[in-house]
Amino acid sequence: MFKALILNQQDKKTTAEICQIDESQLPEGEVLIDVDYSSLNYKDGLAITGKGRIVRQFPMVPGIDLAGQVIESKDGRYQAGDNVVLTGWGVGEGHWGGMAEKASLQADWLVPLPQGMSSKQAMMIGTAGLTGMLCVQALVDAGIKPESGEILVTGASGGVGSVAVTLLAQLGYQVVAVTGRVEENGELLKQLGASRVIPRSELEEPIRPLDKQLWAGAVDTAGSKILAKVLSQISYDGAVAACGLANGFDLPTTVMPFILRGVKLLGVDSVSCPYPRRMAAWKRIAEILPASYYQQACREIELEQAAEYAEAIINGQVTGRIVIKL
């Protein structure tokens, strides 16, 4: 028997309960894992509170991320004792996820834990950090260089944003962090590497088809009107890596930034990211992310606190990354 957070649905309302379950209750998988840590992402918050249509079947163990050791494997790529990481692939939505002491998963969903990185550090990075790295790489691949100008990061207090700020600063970019909580998080964001911090309200002003050219590039986690505003302010031949919809999934913009300034809108997905790109991103994170990040932008909780923090994360009250010790 082992401990798990189980989501069920009663009268169209989601319930979350810590239960003792047996290995025989786990879904079919090729690799059985002893989970060290999971993490709490925005998507997990929506799943646990039932405030988003995330979970596709009940009962469900949430947790789109996990890290731990292989107990047994039917796939030759992994042996008992191997340290592995999982992010994405619909785990915690359609297949039982990381908020349990054991998990049964497909081998294709796993990557080896990067050398020199602990399971806890991997979850301090998690889906958010992987997505942040993929966004940064998208800007690099688009030809945006440190000398090109300032890079804007929206939702900088969140998991993706805080990692993106840190990685960009480590690569020599001048980073402008956007947050709705400047007084609360401004100093932390500067410690992570932001050259300056601006309030989200500056991006909530009326949108023009083309605004003053301010940013060489951007990482956007918000979507909707904020992304539209950012696009109108990108400099000629600049680029925006878009990976989130915290502000909404619509995009009330025009073609003007694209056809008059050559702006590039780069969609970034980490859920189904192919193994070679995923592995390269993890390796790059291990190389670039400074040790100070892990102390400055992360908090550890117990599984029993997951529901409480799920409510907080969807209400925008969580800064940085939340890791769950199993």
Side-chain angles (χ1 to χ4, degrees), residues 76-148:
R77 288 170 288 179
Y78 297 103
Q79 311 297 325
D82 286 351
N83 295 298
V84 293
V85 180
L86 174 132
T87 59
W89 296 111
V91 170
E93 302 171 57
H95 185 100
W96 284 16
M99 294 189 196
E101 292 177 323
K102 292 183 181 180
S104 177
L105 303 163
Q106 299 304 310
D108 285 344
W109 300 343
L110 305 173
V111 296
L113 185 73
Q115 191 170 1
M117 184 181 288
S118 68
S119 291
K120 182 177 179 180
Q121 287 175 324
M123 287 299 94
M124 288 175 167
I125 296 163
T127 282
L130 177 64
T131 305
M133 182 71 250
L134 292 170
C135 286
V136 170
Q137 192 59 53
L139 293 180
V140 171
D141 292 344
I144 310 301
K145 299 179 172 60
E147 59 269 24
S148 300

Side-chain angles (χ1 to χ4, degrees), residues 19 24 93 96 162 187 226 249 251 266-267 295:
C19 300
S24 63
E93 302 171 57
W96 284 16
S162 60
E187 192 53 42
I226 289 179
F249 59 77
L251 183 55
L266 312 168
Q295 283 75 46

Side-chain angles (χ1 to χ4, degrees), residues 230-270:
V230 171
L231 286 166
S232 75
Q233 296 177 337
I234 297 293
S235 299
Y236 190 88
D237 209 25
V240 178
C243 64
L245 41 67
N247 197 55
F249 59 77
D250 61 326
L251 183 55
T253 189
T254 73
V255 299
M256 303 289 269
F258 310 111
I259 66 173
L260 295 182
R261 290 181 179 167
V263 171
K264 294 172 281 292
L265 179 56
L266 312 168
V268 174
D269 164 67
S270 65

